[in-house]
Amino acid sequence: MRGHGDVSTFDKGETQPMKAQQKRWKKRQIVMTTAVALAAMGGGGVQAADNLPSLGGSDEPWRVDVIYENDTRYRGKDHTGREVGLSKFRNTMQVEADKKLSDGWAFHGVLRGTYDGVYRLNKDEFGKDAGSKSAAEVQFQNTLSAGAGAYSFVPFGGGLGKTVGNQAAPVGADTLVGWVYQGAFNAALIPGVPPANTAFVDTYGPNNPGTGLRALGDRWHGSDGGVGFAVPVRPCDTDRRGCRDFGGYGDKKLSELEAPEFNDRLDFIREAYVKKTFGFDDGTSFFLKLGKQQVVWGRTDLFRVLDVINPVDYSRNNIYDELSDIRIPMWIAQGEFRFGGSDTMQDRNLSFVWNFDKFRPSNLGQCGSPNVILDAGCMFRGMANLWDNGGTVANFAHLSTATTQLIQLGGGPALPTDAWLATNFGPGQIGIRNVDLPKWSLSNTQFGIKYEGVTMDGLNFSLNALTYRSQLPSLRAFNSAQNPFTSTNPDPTKHLIAFDMHFPRVNLIGGSMDFQSETLGAAFRLEGAVTEGEEFANTARPELYSKNKVWRSVIGIDRPTFIPFISTSRTTLISAQLFYQHIFDHEEYNGPLGKYGMPDWKDNFIGTVLIKAFLHNDRVSPQLIMARDFQARAWVASPQVEWSLTNDLKLTFGANVKGKDDGAMERWAWSDCRDCNPYAPYTAYDQHAPGFGTGLGAGPLGLSGLEPLGRFRAGPIGTAWKENDIYFTVRYKF
């Protein structure tokens, strides 16, 4: 499973050291530290520096900055119409410390600690009381007639089960639905079709109650004919259902969600490295940086084309925090040969990067927390719960022509054909079985090489190569031709639409450049890279995924411009970018019921514009950031004002507003592979070729919905189109 290209932040990333290259953006100070570090250091500023250990070597004192920030956000109504309320009350502190050591070595460290009070202050949305209070609050769809749009709903546990009596009058359903359920089981009387009751269950018992749940995707869309299911949303010390370690998230208890840096990976250590430059007699040098750090490859904002060495913590604030704040530092050795100038070049560098840390993917957010990019963490947790405990799946079992004929023979009403019924699955039949997180080994480490230069006319460029593990997961199906519905003794190793999660090896080759145009008064930034080994969801394949090469590129333009109605004395920065992604050997087919294949777009463009002004001696800085996903037809606008009251105190006011074009949701729907399984009469359809159900005519028809694969067409902006926030941030440097 992969979504759109890695989308990270709207702010400028830092670049590697280059003698002739100036950084275009002043590096922002990171805004957090640990309370433990503050206590040990006795406060901020000079006192803290005096109390630090000397580490030997230079007599030069420590340089220490201590910064506090509070970020408070309020979110409006989600798609259910319910006001979300407080979505963040994050208090963070950070210490940055630098020290010159002996023999030319230097140490740099950053400690950061966070406490987010939203999980207690808004516990009905994100804490121990989140989710449903009863099974009746979580409803699942029966599609009685897709053409006419006629639907009915049943509660969690109210789907098609073993006994007709349990389903004759499900909560909230009418008489018609009772006939549908009766007819579905009468279908088992068709000659040649064995009894099929073994796959379904009537109730889930105490291990899987109807409380603490939400319907998958209900924050950003309604029921639409897809295969929705229930998702547990409470912290994992309150509700363990669906809790898995998906790679540093997915199994966190309340205290770990509140203070995410304090974990077994020691994330409160944001940076801790030593560095030194070794000079040689011929004028060249070798720069070495060793320790926990961020390594930045890339020259563009928001999009990570080359900048994929460190994973990213999207749970912090989706894609809207600075990349320097949401990169996950890793233990890395970085070396750079600096050759200096030549007859044709102003500067030349050759660098090597070895990420020898234990593998770690990007944090996509635990379901039940405020920021879950692509809503993927909820899909994962819900599917893990399905595997562990079972659950009700919307619109799954099929009401065929033969079934409706039996209903009429039994005195029932005439019903439309090709309807789908919510179904109660038991444990071990559907969902995510295992998460294959790569263990540490030399072969699982990651290595990169980059050549970087500056030409005589001022063109900065790089050539990059990297081998690494994908930071986004792939779901690989292990379906079987055995029919779990009709087998009286199902093989426990054979399953229906079940997955293992993997993180494949990826190879990347690319490059970047930037240059100034005096004629246009603008700076241009370009990046491009091709990857091999990425895996994408693909409902045209039996394994439900495929490996594809991908090309990603970004072009960015920065221009300071006088805009008189904003300021007559200072220029206003206008920065625009266009991101392009192309998937090679993309598969998309038209079936009788809709499209199937790869939900990710074959070609997609995402554009951003930043307009930033500087007023009142640069004390006030208003800005507007806009982004649009052209294929998903979704957009975001983020107005913001920064006000520096003093050199140490800054206030920020802003909003984050998202939206979509009319008809966008219809574009997001995709086949979900209910129709990939030849299990008549439950997932075989009237449109299938003769022999389907016996394994002779299996194949998808394109039966579609927003769940579960529509999120990869909607992208990170579309899936968050109902997450509109206003925010206030105060930042103080001690």
Side-chain angles (χ1 to χ4, degrees):
M1 178 277 297
R2 282 297 300 268
H4 291 243
D6 293 335
V7 181
S8 302
T9 179
F10 290 113
D11 294 292
K12 180 64 185 172
E14 62 182 67
T15 60
Q16 291 292 334
M18 292 288 293
K19 292 179 181 177
Q21 181 177 352
Q22 297 292 327
K23 295 182 180 178
R24 288 183 297 270
W25 296 81
K26 182 179 179 181
K27 183 181 178 183
R28 295 189 183 179
Q29 294 193 356
I30 309 176
V31 288
M32 307 199 293
T33 192
T34 68
V36 173
L38 283 176
M41 298 166 70
V46 176
Q47 181 184 0
D50 291 342
N51 289 339
L52 280 172
S54 67
L55 296 184
S58 173
D59 293 332
E60 184 173 325
W62 285 85
R63 292 188 299 108
V64 179
D65 289 323
V66 179
I67 303 164
Y68 165 78
E69 183 186 76
N70 173 270
D71 188 4
T72 301
R73 297 178 182 246
Y74 187 91
R75 185 170 295 171
K77 293 180 180 179
D78 62 20
H79 195 272
T80 66
R82 184 168 57 189
E83 196 85 11
V84 176
L86 192 70
S87 60
K88 183 177 295 185
F89 189 71
R90 186 179 68 199
N91 296 275
T92 59
M93 294 197 71
Q94 178 164 300
V95 171
E96 293 190 6
D98 291 274
K99 170 68 173 174
K100 288 188 176 179
L101 309 177
S102 60
D103 195 28
W105 288 92
F107 171 81
H108 176 72
V110 177
L111 302 177
R112 186 176 81 179
T114 299
Y115 176 78
D116 193 343
V118 70
Y119 296 98
R120 296 182 190 269
L121 296 174
N122 194 2
K123 61 183 180 180
D124 287 341
E125 285 289 333
F126 305 115
K128 63 185 183 66
D129 295 332
S132 59
K133 306 302 184 288
S134 69
E137 293 182 29
V138 189
Q139 296 284 314
F140 298 94
Q141 189 180 62
N142 288 310
T143 308
L144 298 183
S145 174
Y151 306 116
S152 68
F153 293 84
V154 297
F156 178 76
L160 184 64
K162 283 187 176 181
T163 61
V164 176
N166 186 54
Q167 310 302 328
V171 177
D174 53 22
T175 305
L176 181 63
V177 178
W179 279 106
V180 170
Y181 281 114
Q182 182 73 46
F185 272 104
N186 285 342
L189 303 177
I190 299 173
V193 178
N197 296 348
T198 58
F200 304 138
V201 298
D202 290 338
T203 62
Y204 297 111
N207 293 331
N208 199 13
T211 56
L213 305 173
R214 292 191 70 143
L216 178 64
D218 68 348
R219 293 188 184 276
W220 61 284
H221 67 79
S223 299
D224 70 322
V227 288
F229 43 83
V231 180
V233 293
R234 294 173 179 174
C236 289
D237 53 341
T238 301
D239 188 346
R240 287 294 306 170
R241 288 178 295 174
C243 291
R244 290 271 212 292
D245 181 6
F246 297 117
Y249 68 98
D251 61 348
K252 301 304 181 185
K253 57 187 180 182
L254 176 62
S255 61
E256 293 170 318
L257 294 172
E258 292 174 321
E261 284 87 359
F262 297 95
N263 54 38
D264 57 1
R265 298 296 291 264
L266 306 180
D267 282 345
F268 67 88
I269 304 175
R270 289 288 296 166
E271 296 181 15
Y273 59 79
V274 293
K275 59 183 179 180
K276 180 180 178 179
T277 299
F278 299 86
F280 303 119
D281 293 340
D282 60 357
T284 63
S285 62
F286 178 74
F287 171 78
L288 176 65
K289 183 192 288 187
L290 179 63
K292 197 170 189 180
Q293 58 184 290
Q294 303 179 37
V295 177
V296 183
W297 281 6
R299 307 173 188 270
T300 56
D301 310 327
L302 178 60
F303 307 107
R304 300 203 312 149
V305 176
L306 296 172
D307 187 17
V308 294
I309 295 175
N310 293 81
V312 171
D313 182 5
Y314 293 109
S315 72
R316 184 171 168 84
N317 193 23
N318 207 311
I319 62 175
Y320 304 109
D321 271 5
E322 292 189 42
L323 188 53
S324 58
D325 283 340
I326 61 177
R327 284 194 201 94
I328 300 174
M330 305 288 283
W331 292 98
I332 291 172
Q334 182 182 178
E336 183 175 80
F337 290 99
R338 298 176 176 176
F339 301 110
S342 68
D343 293 340
T344 58
M345 303 282 289
Q346 293 187 45
D347 203 5
R348 299 162 299 155
N349 295 339
L350 180 65
S351 61
F352 304 88
V353 175
W354 179 31
N355 181 350
F356 55 86
D357 207 345
K358 182 181 178 181
F359 170 76
R360 189 168 184 181
S362 291
N363 185 341
L364 305 184
Q366 178 166 307
C367 192
S369 59
N371 296 298
V372 185
I373 189 171
L374 291 174
D375 200 36
C378 287
M379 182 181 101
F380 299 157
R381 185 172 181 180
M383 292 178 72
N385 181 51
L386 283 175
W387 182 264
D388 293 340
N389 302 301
T392 304
V393 179
N395 300 314
F396 203 97
H398 179 229
L399 183 63
S400 65
T401 300
T403 304
T404 59
Q405 291 173 350
L406 285 173
I407 292 174
Q408 293 179 57
L409 289 174
L415 296 175
T417 60
D418 278 335
W420 301 275
L421 310 177
T423 306
N424 292 347
F425 285 98
Q429 295 178 335
I430 188 170
I432 292 178
R433 178 181 64 176
N434 294 322
V435 179
D436 182 17
L437 286 170
K439 307 298 183 182
W440 191 94
S441 68
L442 194 60
S443 62
N444 276 333
T445 60
Q446 305 171 67
F447 183 78
I449 183 171
K450 175 174 70 168
Y451 178 79
E452 196 170 21
V454 182
T455 65
M456 287 299 184
D457 57 1
L459 174 68
N460 297 278
F461 71 92
S462 73
L463 300 173
N464 308 61
L466 178 70
T467 178
Y468 66 106
R469 285 280 186 174
S470 174
Q471 295 163 4
L472 297 179
S474 170
L475 295 182
R476 301 177 182 176
F478 51 97
N479 289 346
S480 169
Q482 181 184 5
N483 187 340
F485 293 101
T486 60
S487 174
T488 57
N489 186 23
D491 182 345
T493 66
K494 310 297 184 183
H495 306 287
L496 171 73
I497 310 186
F499 302 86
D500 289 332
M501 180 180 286
H502 293 265
F503 297 87
R505 170 72 61 177
V506 177
N507 298 313
L508 175 150
I509 297 177
S512 68
M513 68 173 64
D514 65 68
F515 58 91
Q516 302 274 347
S517 172
E518 294 184 4
T519 302
L520 299 175
F524 292 82
R525 298 170 282 117
L526 301 96
E527 282 186 44
V530 62
T531 62
E532 179 271 330
E534 293 189 60
E535 296 181 359
F536 295 82
N538 188 343
T539 56
R541 301 286 186 93
E543 60 273 18
L544 300 186
Y545 79 95
S546 60
K547 285 183 179 288
N548 297 78
K549 292 182 180 179
V550 184
W551 167 259
R552 296 186 179 94
S553 59
V554 179
I555 179 171
I557 304 173
D558 305 319
R559 190 180 192 278
T561 305
F562 275 108
I563 304 178
F565 73 86
I566 295 178
S567 175
T568 58
S569 59
R570 287 293 308 273
T571 58
T572 296
L573 174 64
I574 300 177
S575 179
Q577 291 188 135
L578 186 65
F579 170 82
Y580 171 62
Q581 175 176 285
H582 172 77
I583 301 175
F584 294 91
D585 301 319
H586 187 273
E587 294 186 60
E588 180 178 310
Y589 306 99
N590 292 314
L593 300 178
K595 293 183 177 181
Y596 64 93
M598 299 174 65
D600 290 78
W601 306 96
K602 178 180 180 179
D603 294 284
N604 196 24
F605 293 89
I606 303 177
T608 69
V609 175
L610 163 68
I611 303 172
K612 186 177 181 66
F614 306 90
L615 309 174
H616 299 289
N617 296 320
D618 296 345
R619 291 289 187 184
V620 177
S621 181
Q623 71 176 34
L624 174 65
I625 299 172
M626 296 175 290
R628 178 172 178 82
D629 186 327
F630 289 93
Q631 286 283 28
R633 297 182 182 175
W635 54 267
V636 59
S638 183
Q640 175 184 289
V641 176
E642 291 182 349
W643 180 18
S644 297
L645 277 74
T646 70
N647 292 334
D648 299 322
L649 178 61
K650 182 172 71 175
L651 307 179
T652 303
F653 308 84
N656 193 286
V657 181
K658 309 171 191 71
K660 61 175 183 61
D661 296 353
D662 291 341
M665 282 193 175
E666 287 76 7
R667 291 174 57 81
W668 300 345
W670 199 252
S671 67
D672 43 50
C673 224
R674 282 168 288 172
D675 52 8
C676 294
N677 301 278
Y679 303 142
Y682 300 101
T683 56
Y685 300 89
D686 293 341
Q687 294 92 335
H688 275 125
F692 190 90
T694 64
L696 301 178
L701 298 170
L703 186 61
S704 301
L706 284 175
E707 293 299 344
L709 297 180
R711 57 188 25 84
F712 305 123
R713 294 174 68 78
I717 298 175
T719 52
W721 78 281
K722 277 294 187 177
E723 295 179 1
N724 297 319
D725 296 319
I726 56 174
Y727 59 88
F728 170 70
T729 301
V730 56
R731 177 178 180 270
Y732 186 76
K733 177 181 175 182
F734 293 92

